[in-house]
Amino acid sequence: MSATKSQSAKKAAPDAARRSERSRRAIYDAALSLVGEIGYPRTTIEGIAARAGVGKQTIYRWWGSKAEVLMEAFIDLNERNTEVAAERHPGYPGDPAVLPDSGDIEADFKLLLHATVDVLKDPVFEAPARALAAEGLADRAFSEAFVARLLMPGLDLYADRLRAAQEAGQVRTEVDPTIARDLFSGPLAQRWLQNTGPLDHAYADTIVEYALYGIGARPPRS
Amino acid sequence: MSATKSQSAKKAAPDAARRSERSRRAIYDAALSLVGEIGYPRTTIEGIAARAGVGKQTIYRWWGSKAEVLMEAFIDLNERNTEVAAERHPGYPGDPAVLPDSGDIEADFKLLLHATVDVLKDPVFEAPARALAAEGLADRAFSEAFVARLLMPGLDLYADRLRAAQEAGQVRTEVDPTIARDLFSGPLAQRWLQNTGPLDHAYADTIVEYALYGIGARPPRS
């Protein structure tokens, strides 16, 4: 949902729906900030409710667990981050289910990774996302649930974009898009998760160029 | 130190040194297994001493903190893992400060990443390493200390190997080795840290090929 659509929906809605929307937003914000501050294990529905200024029965009416609240809070944050990217970068689609596709795979992946770097370094995203990643390292089942819901949909879009580039003759047909995507996402993930080096737009550009064109000396062709 | 050297050193050593070596090994093993089971925050010097069957003053005689014990335990484990890789793969150097260098960058990086995959999936390494990575996500200063001591030395070797390949004409001279190394290490790190897909030798081979030769369609040359 775009910011514009959300605004007009609100205008038409009755007071109860408007109050619900306000509560939902307060709960998402509380869940994200709390988990970023104290980590996943110590975050509770009671704590989220207290910070959001709602009763905990309000949370239980909509969600079954703190994991559910957090997953939806991240999906909502991803929608808002996509809107920000669309405002900042002309040509960036405002829909989280759509990646840039100008027909130029290099330009599109650079744009995509610029937006990704911006999100990874945004404190609103970074603190809670690190807390979830840490919990994922301690608990494999938790990791798989969160990865399936929050991370893989984005990585699947990377693969789709690479398939389109194969059809356009920009990526070799024998390349496996579900492996090739890791050349783009993996280096950023490692720098973000393990602090192995600076993470900025220039780095993202270099990674895209190396992944597309290779670092090896190309043999002369006859 | 290689296994062979260690064995002969032991034979020549007096009883006290032999007892010290046994205690040191027990302390390393206890530290690694304990942090893998209960996580970094709950691991204590007392807990390590109890599991190793030594007095805690024995640990304090050699190390200042649990972080110090763990760092040295990982450095020791890395030495042992290198010996295993050298036994398993003909041509793999038994010295952790030396990477395979047969003169063929593709073969050498495949061998290196095979050995890396083996270590990442070895429970003796995996559980404690995940626990440290999780703590690194919660504590930036902790992350930087551990990365500087345990991760960067290995990544610096990757960059050195790429520089040698540049001199041999196998990697383009304009490539930055401190960024290019991330094309090899980043995808493996992401699959290991975030469970985004299978992590095996075939995956490692594909990553090496894509990184060296690029996924982009190469323009025809005249």
Side-chain angles (χ1 to χ4, degrees), chain B residues 76-107:
Chain B
D76 176 74
L77 180 58
N78 184 40
E79 287 172 5
R80 285 184 288 146
N81 285 335
T82 303
E83 289 161 15
V84 171
E87 283 161 24
R88 192 172 295 172
H89 304 286
Y92 201 96
D95 180 344
V98 178
L99 290 194
D101 190 352
S102 69
D104 176 345
I105 188 72
E106 179 178 336

Coordinates of all heavy atoms in Angstrom, one line a residue, chain B residues 76-107:
Chain B
D76 N 43.4 -21.6 18.0 CA 43.9 -23.0 18.1 C 43.0 -24.0 17.2 O 43.6 -24.8 16.5 CB 43.8 -23.5 19.6 CG 44.2 -24.9 19.8 OD1 45.4 -25.2 19.7 OD2 43.3 -25.8 20.0
L77 N 41.7 -23.8 17.3 CA 40.8 -24.6 16.5 C 41.1 -24.4 15.0 O 41.1 -25.4 14.2 CB 39.4 -24.3 16.8 CG 38.3 -25.1 16.1 CD1 38.4 -26.6 16.3 CD2 36.9 -24.6 16.5
N78 N 41.4 -23.2 14.6 CA 41.7 -22.9 13.2 C 42.9 -23.6 12.8 O 43.0 -24.1 11.7 CB 41.9 -21.3 13.1 CG 42.1 -20.9 11.6 OD1 41.5 -21.5 10.7 ND2 43.0 -20.0 11.4
E79 N 43.9 -23.7 13.7 CA 45.2 -24.4 13.4 C 44.8 -25.9 13.1 O 45.3 -26.5 12.2 CB 46.2 -24.3 14.5 CG 46.8 -22.9 14.5 CD 47.7 -22.6 15.7 OE1 47.9 -23.6 16.5 OE2 48.1 -21.5 15.9
R80 N 44.0 -26.4 14.0 CA 43.7 -27.9 13.9 C 42.8 -28.1 12.6 O 43.0 -29.1 11.9 CB 42.9 -28.4 15.1 CG 43.9 -28.5 16.3 CD 43.2 -29.1 17.5 NE 42.3 -28.1 18.2 CZ 41.2 -28.4 18.8 NH1 40.8 -29.6 18.8 NH2 40.5 -27.5 19.3
N81 N 41.9 -27.2 12.3 CA 41.1 -27.3 11.1 C 42.0 -27.3 9.8 O 41.7 -27.9 8.9 CB 40.0 -26.3 11.0 CG 38.9 -26.5 12.0 OD1 38.7 -27.7 12.4 ND2 38.2 -25.5 12.4
T82 N 43.0 -26.4 9.9 CA 43.9 -26.3 8.7 C 44.7 -27.7 8.5 O 44.9 -28.1 7.4 CB 44.9 -25.2 9.0 OG1 44.2 -24.0 9.2 CG2 45.8 -25.0 7.8
E83 N 45.1 -28.3 9.7 CA 45.7 -29.6 9.5 C 44.8 -30.6 8.9 O 45.2 -31.4 8.1 CB 46.2 -30.1 10.9 CG 47.4 -29.2 11.5 CD 47.5 -29.4 13.0 OE1 46.9 -30.3 13.6 OE2 48.2 -28.5 13.6
V84 N 43.5 -30.6 9.3 CA 42.5 -31.5 8.8 C 42.4 -31.3 7.3 O 42.4 -32.2 6.5 CB 41.2 -31.4 9.5 CG1 40.1 -32.2 8.7 CG2 41.3 -31.8 10.9
A85 N 42.3 -30.0 6.9 CA 42.2 -29.7 5.4 C 43.4 -30.2 4.7 O 43.3 -30.7 3.6 CB 42.0 -28.2 5.3
A86 N 44.6 -30.0 5.3 CA 45.8 -30.5 4.6 C 45.8 -32.0 4.4 O 46.3 -32.5 3.4 CB 47.0 -30.0 5.4
E87 N 45.3 -32.7 5.4 CA 45.3 -34.2 5.3 C 44.2 -34.6 4.3 O 44.5 -35.6 3.5 CB 44.8 -34.8 6.7 CG 46.0 -34.8 7.7 CD 45.5 -35.0 9.1 OE1 44.4 -35.5 9.3 OE2 46.2 -34.6 10.1
R88 N 43.1 -33.9 4.2 CA 42.0 -34.3 3.3 C 42.3 -33.9 1.9 O 41.9 -34.6 1.0 CB 40.7 -33.6 3.8 CG 39.5 -34.1 3.2 CD 38.2 -33.5 3.9 NE 38.1 -33.9 5.3 CZ 37.2 -33.4 6.1 NH1 36.4 -32.4 5.7 NH2 37.2 -33.8 7.4
H89 N 42.9 -32.7 1.7 CA 43.1 -32.2 0.3 C 44.6 -32.2 0.0 O 45.3 -31.3 0.5 CB 42.5 -30.8 0.2 CG 41.1 -30.8 0.5 ND1 40.1 -31.3 -0.3 CD2 40.4 -30.2 1.6 CE1 38.9 -31.1 0.3 NE2 39.1 -30.4 1.5
P90 N 45.1 -33.0 -0.9 CA 46.5 -32.9 -1.3 C 46.7 -31.5 -1.9 O 45.9 -31.0 -2.6 CB 46.6 -33.9 -2.5 CG 45.4 -34.8 -2.3 CD 44.3 -34.0 -1.7
G91 N 47.8 -30.9 -1.4 CA 48.2 -29.5 -1.9 C 47.7 -28.4 -1.0 O 48.0 -27.3 -1.2
Y92 N 46.8 -28.8 0.0 CA 46.4 -27.7 0.9 C 47.5 -27.5 1.9 O 47.9 -28.4 2.6 CB 45.1 -28.2 1.6 CG 44.3 -27.0 2.1 CD1 43.3 -26.4 1.4 CD2 44.6 -26.4 3.3 CE1 42.6 -25.3 1.8 CE2 43.9 -25.3 3.8 CZ 42.9 -24.8 3.1 OH 42.2 -23.7 3.5
P93 N 47.9 -26.2 2.1 CA 49.0 -26.0 3.1 C 48.5 -26.2 4.5 O 47.4 -25.9 4.8 CB 49.4 -24.5 2.8 CG 48.5 -24.0 1.7 CD 47.4 -25.0 1.5
G94 N 49.4 -26.8 5.3 CA 49.1 -27.1 6.7 C 49.3 -25.9 7.6 O 49.1 -26.0 8.8
D95 N 49.6 -24.7 7.1 CA 49.8 -23.5 7.9 C 48.7 -22.5 7.7 O 48.4 -22.2 6.5 CB 51.1 -22.9 7.3 CG 51.5 -21.6 8.1 OD1 50.7 -21.1 8.8 OD2 52.7 -21.2 8.0
P96 N 48.0 -22.2 8.8 CA 46.8 -21.3 8.7 C 47.1 -19.9 8.0 O 46.2 -19.2 7.6 CB 46.3 -21.1 10.1 CG 47.1 -22.0 10.9 CD 48.3 -22.5 10.2
A97 N 48.4 -19.6 8.0 CA 48.8 -18.2 7.5 C 49.1 -18.3 6.0 O 49.5 -17.3 5.4 CB 50.0 -17.7 8.2
V98 N 48.8 -19.5 5.4 CA 49.2 -19.7 4.0 C 48.0 -20.3 3.2 O 47.4 -21.2 3.7 CB 50.4 -20.6 3.8 CG1 50.7 -20.9 2.3 CG2 51.6 -20.1 4.5
L99 N 47.6 -19.7 2.1 CA 46.5 -20.2 1.3 C 47.0 -21.1 0.2 O 48.1 -20.9 -0.2 CB 45.6 -19.1 0.7 CG 44.8 -18.3 1.7 CD1 43.7 -17.5 1.0 CD2 44.1 -19.2 2.8
P100 N 46.1 -22.0 -0.4 CA 46.6 -22.7 -1.5 C 47.0 -21.8 -2.6 O 46.4 -20.8 -2.9 CB 45.3 -23.5 -2.0 CG 44.4 -23.5 -0.7 CD 44.8 -22.3 0.0
D101 N 48.2 -22.1 -3.2 CA 48.7 -21.3 -4.4 C 49.4 -22.2 -5.4 O 50.6 -22.4 -5.3 CB 49.6 -20.2 -3.9 CG 49.9 -19.2 -5.1 OD1 49.5 -19.5 -6.2 OD2 50.5 -18.1 -4.8
S102 N 48.5 -22.8 -6.2 CA 49.1 -23.7 -7.3 C 49.4 -22.9 -8.5 O 49.9 -23.5 -9.5 CB 48.0 -24.8 -7.6 OG 46.9 -24.1 -8.3
G103 N 49.0 -21.6 -8.5 CA 49.2 -20.8 -9.7 C 47.9 -20.7 -10.5 O 47.8 -19.9 -11.4
D104 N 46.9 -21.5 -10.1 CA 45.6 -21.5 -10.8 C 44.5 -20.9 -9.8 O 44.1 -21.6 -8.9 CB 45.2 -22.9 -11.2 CG 43.8 -23.0 -11.8 OD1 43.0 -22.1 -11.7 OD2 43.6 -24.1 -12.5
I105 N 44.1 -19.7 -10.0 CA 43.3 -19.0 -9.0 C 41.9 -19.7 -8.8 O 41.4 -19.8 -7.7 CB 43.1 -17.5 -9.3 CG1 42.3 -16.8 -8.2 CG2 42.4 -17.3 -10.7 CD1 43.1 -16.5 -7.0
E106 N 41.4 -20.3 -9.9 CA 40.1 -20.9 -9.9 C 40.2 -22.2 -9.0 O 39.4 -22.4 -8.1 CB 39.6 -21.3 -11.3 CG 38.2 -22.0 -11.2 CD 37.7 -22.3 -12.6 OE1 38.0 -21.6 -13.6 OE2 36.9 -23.3 -12.7
A107 N 41.2 -23.0 -9.3 CA 41.4 -24.3 -8.5 C 41.6 -24.0 -7.1 O 41.1 -24.6 -6.1 CB 42.5 -25.1 -9.1

